Amino acid sequence: MHVLADANLRLDASAIDYVLVAVYFVLVLGIGFLAQRSVNNSLDFFLSGRSMPAWVTGLAFMSANLGAVELVGMTANGAQYGVPTVHFYWIGAVPAMVFVGLVMMPFYYGAKVRSLPQFLLRRFGKFAHLVNSISFALAQVAQAGINLFLLATVVEALLGWNLWLSVAVAAVIVLAYTTLGGLSAAIYTEVLQFFVIVAMLVPLTIVGLHRVGGWSGLVDKIQGSSTANDAAAQLSSWPGSNLTSIGNSTLSVLGIVFGLGFVLSFGYWTTNFAEIQRALSAKSVSAARRTPLIAAYPKTLIVLVIFIPGMIAAVLSGPFAKCKAELVAGAAKCSNGYEPNDAIQLLIKDVLPNGMLGVAIAGLIASFMAGMAANVSSFNTVFTYDIWQSYVRKGRPDGYYLRIGRIVTIVGCVLAIGGAAIAMGFNNIMTYLQDLFSFFNAPLFATFILGLFWKRMTAAAAGWSLIAGTLSAVIVNILGKVGVLPISGQGLSFVSALAAFVIDIAVAVAVTAVTRPRPDSELTGLVWSLTDRKALRRSEASDDRGWYRKPVVVGMGALVLAVALNIIFW
């Protein structure tokens, strides 16, 4: 694939570095063994018995998203595109996270569903439920494969371990603690992993900035090593044409705001059960609502220690600077074998001393394992409840489904290894991920949001709109990749997502017009107009003591912070 085994990427790790990594593995496995004690039934295994406090689920919500794709992919974006990377956070995450907490979670948690496909089952019936269950399971296997692949490539590059041996070891460790302790083990491990990841990123950013003379020094180096147009594109968040590959500034902004900020972002955060599962494990509806809102604060800030290291790597590393210049000029791959995914590895090698290398390696491993655990834990829940229990083996004792869940966890890890093989074909893994989101999340968001606010929408409309939306995204993506459409890179994913959303809505409206809706009595609590929001507020009151616990206050604070940072980096 590229020169991963080259000595230019190899770390001179010492014994203390390996000891720190070993301590991390011991802590992770210890959490799995301790969490096993609280698993007495399937609800404990799949949803932690709905007993978690909001601050724990909030950090786990954030950490589950801070996986390998986030760390390596967004650092790669920072190295390749610069400041426009912030759009994936301040435009493409925080508004949607606030929407999930304030609008969607009352429906998800209030319906007492065990998964998001089950919410579709109650709202639309079996057709849409089965379509979503299968598509979600496929997406989680693919995303788990991305996390595994990136872990293996980084470990091979930095330490010289065999790639497939690294894949197997990582899969076995994630398998061990998720099989033992279920979602509780994954959540508590994710909280630990969040702090380990931060302990890696903050020193990496500070030391890197010191090496280039601070932010002003970084700006000077970018301006000195790039054309005027490319430097301006890297150092300003708008219009983000280098990110979208859309030359027209107005269309680029529209692509970011509507393609990324609305369809892809809202599609991901409102319908991705790998994230929502953490909120569903909270102890009350108020705690569930605050889960994504609490997570929005670290999500808003952590981008600063992700995209800036990428920009630093692009000016500190001579070989990578050459690679980047070739990519800007339109090359598909770099002639020297490097690629944007190498950015964080190069920076770790160049700026961190021994001792800190161990923390960095543990941080990278933590991010990969957090993402994979989130994918695997949501996969086993959806497969067990929404496919196996609903369509294959109904009415069995609870202990039977607990055993199936543990077996499916093993199957998910094995399938993730196959997903890792597919991920090998992408030099910027964020492009692959955005493709997946446009295929699976964008049409699902359209179906969810239309069904939530339009009680007339029918079951047949939901199923066929999901299929049509997914196919339209795939077709647009293929047309772009073969050159029929003049769009490439992540801009193609934005356009594919928009196509999926529009086609999904159009098909849903057309099919609804010729099919019979369900009576209002069957939709209470499942659509906006038929939900008693006064009763919801009363049920939250006991858990909202103190202004700082009120979901609206917490959510508005996150939005204000995101807007302020948007203005600073405009």
Side-chain angles (χ1 to χ4, degrees):
M1 184 180 138
H2 63 87
V3 290
L4 282 173
D6 193 282
N8 289 330
L9 282 174
R10 192 65 43 78
L11 293 181
D12 185 21
S14 66
I16 186 63
D17 298 315
Y18 285 106
V19 168
L20 288 171
V21 173
V23 168
Y24 167 72
F25 282 137
V26 169
L27 287 174
V28 166
L29 292 173
I31 289 172
F33 280 105
L34 290 174
Q36 184 183 25
R37 300 177 181 179
S38 63
V39 177
N40 298 310
N41 53 51
S42 64
L43 186 65
D44 292 336
F45 185 80
F46 294 116
L47 286 176
S48 301
R50 297 190 191 271
S51 61
M52 293 288 182
W55 74 268
V56 171
T57 55
L59 287 179
F61 192 98
M62 172 62 197
S63 185
N65 178 250
L66 194 58
V69 175
E70 188 84 3
L71 216 56
V72 174
M74 286 302 178
T75 307
N77 263 4
Q80 191 170 355
Y81 305 116
V83 175
T85 302
V86 301
H87 294 316
F88 286 97
Y89 295 75
W90 303 335
I91 300 295
V94 175
M97 293 169 78
V98 172
F99 179 80
V100 170
L102 297 183
V103 178
M104 302 300 287
M105 282 313 304
F107 291 92
Y108 295 153
Y109 195 93
K112 294 298 179 185
V113 294
R114 299 168 299 189
S115 68
L116 293 195
Q118 191 181 44
F119 184 85
L120 273 185
L121 176 64
R122 294 190 180 182
R123 174 63 181 89
F124 294 118
K126 290 185 176 181
F127 182 24
H129 173 248
L130 182 59
V131 171
N132 178 226
S133 298
I134 294 173
S135 66
F136 178 83
L138 292 173
Q140 293 314 295
V141 168
Q143 291 176 43
I146 293 174
N147 282 289
L148 261 186
F149 163 68
L150 289 178
L151 170 60
T153 55
V154 168
V155 169
E156 183 188 41
L158 298 183
L159 301 178
W161 298 357
N162 177 269
L163 187 144
W164 286 107
L165 175 63
S166 302
V167 166
V169 170
V172 167
I173 293 174
V174 172
L175 174 63
Y177 71 76
T178 52
T179 304
L180 287 170
L183 184 62
S184 295
I187 286 177
Y188 284 122
T189 301
E190 285 158 3
V191 173
L192 168 66
Q193 288 163 337
F194 172 78
F195 291 107
V196 173
I197 293 166
V198 171
M200 174 196 69
L201 290 174
V202 172
L204 188 65
T205 307
I206 293 173
V207 176
L209 282 173
H210 176 73
R211 287 277 299 273
V212 297
W215 177 256
S216 60
L218 178 59
V219 170
D220 291 341
K221 288 183 182 298
I222 289 174
Q223 290 175 335
S225 62
S226 309
T227 65
N229 288 338
D230 183 49
Q234 290 184 60
L235 296 172
S236 299
S237 59
W238 298 102
S241 297
N242 61 342
L243 179 69
T244 62
S245 300
I246 300 174
N248 183 283
S249 297
T250 301
L251 293 178
S252 179
V253 170
L254 290 175
I256 291 171
V257 172
F258 292 102
L260 172 63
F262 180 59
V263 178
L264 277 174
S265 173
F266 278 68
Y268 174 83
W269 292 102
T270 62
T271 64
N272 190 346
F273 183 54
E275 311 289 341
I276 299 298
Q277 187 179 24
R278 275 78 192 139
L280 292 180
S281 71
K283 64 181 181 179
S284 67
V285 64
S286 176
R289 295 185 75 187
R290 281 183 278 128
T291 293
L293 304 178
I294 291 170
Y297 287 86
K299 182 69 175 177
T300 304
L301 296 172
I302 205 160
V303 62
L304 299 174
V305 291
I306 291 181
F307 88 90
I308 292 176
M311 295 176 70
I312 295 170
V315 298
L316 276 185
S317 169
F320 186 77
K322 178 185 177 183
C323 169
K324 180 178 177 180
E326 293 176 354
L327 293 174
V328 170
K333 290 186 177 182
C334 299
S335 60
N336 60 6
Y338 286 95
E339 58 185 37
N341 290 337
D342 295 328
I344 194 168
Q345 305 166 49
L346 287 164
L347 191 62
I348 288 173
K349 179 182 185 299
D350 287 343
V351 306
L352 292 184
N354 283 339
M356 279 304 301
L357 289 179
V359 175
I361 296 168
L364 286 171
I365 293 173
S367 70
F368 306 144
M369 291 171 61
M372 182 181 172
N375 299 137
V376 170
S377 61
S378 57
F379 170 80
N380 66 23
T381 302
V382 168
F383 187 91
T384 302
Y385 280 149
D386 296 290
I387 296 177
W388 195 264
Q389 184 181 36
S390 298
Y391 301 101
V392 182
R393 291 287 186 271
K394 302 179 181 179
R396 298 298 179 92
D398 184 75
Y400 171 80
Y401 296 113
L402 176 58
R403 289 192 301 274
I404 291 296
R406 286 191 160 121
I407 293 171
V408 171
T409 303
I410 299 172
V411 174
C413 288
V414 173
L415 292 176
I417 294 175
I422 298 174
M424 289 182 181
F426 293 80
N427 71 330
N428 187 329
I429 212 68
M430 279 305 301
T431 302
Y432 177 39
L433 187 69
Q434 297 303 321
D435 287 347
L436 292 178
F437 289 164
S438 69
F439 299 161
F440 298 114
N441 294 91
L444 182 58
F445 169 59
T447 299
F448 258 89
I449 208 70
L450 195 61
L452 183 64
F453 292 103
W454 188 31
K455 66 179 183 179
R456 174 74 174 78
M457 185 174 174
T458 64
W464 288 113
S465 66
L466 281 174
I467 295 172
T470 299
L471 289 176
S472 65
V474 172
I475 290 170
V476 169
N477 194 274
I478 291 173
L479 292 176
K481 283 184 166 55
V482 300
V484 175
L485 294 177
I487 308 171
S488 61
Q490 291 166 40
L492 178 60
S493 300
F494 301 165
V495 174
S496 299
L498 280 170
F501 185 84
V502 171
I503 296 299
D504 187 292
I505 294 289
V507 171
V509 171
V511 175
T512 294
V514 296
T515 50
R516 180 176 298 179
R518 295 170 63 186
D520 289 0
S521 60
E522 296 180 6
L523 299 176
T524 302
L526 298 175
V527 295
W528 183 263
S529 60
L530 299 176
T531 299
D532 186 352
R533 285 175 289 283
K534 290 182 179 179
L536 173 64
R537 285 193 291 270
R538 285 195 298 271
S539 70
E540 289 185 318
S542 62
D543 214 21
D544 279 346
R545 288 188 296 272
W547 62 269
Y548 58 90
R549 287 187 175 182
K550 295 186 180 299
V552 172
V553 174
V554 179
M556 290 304 103
L559 288 177
V560 169
L561 179 60
V563 169
L565 288 169
N566 255 304
I567 293 171
I568 292 171
F569 284 89
W570 191 278

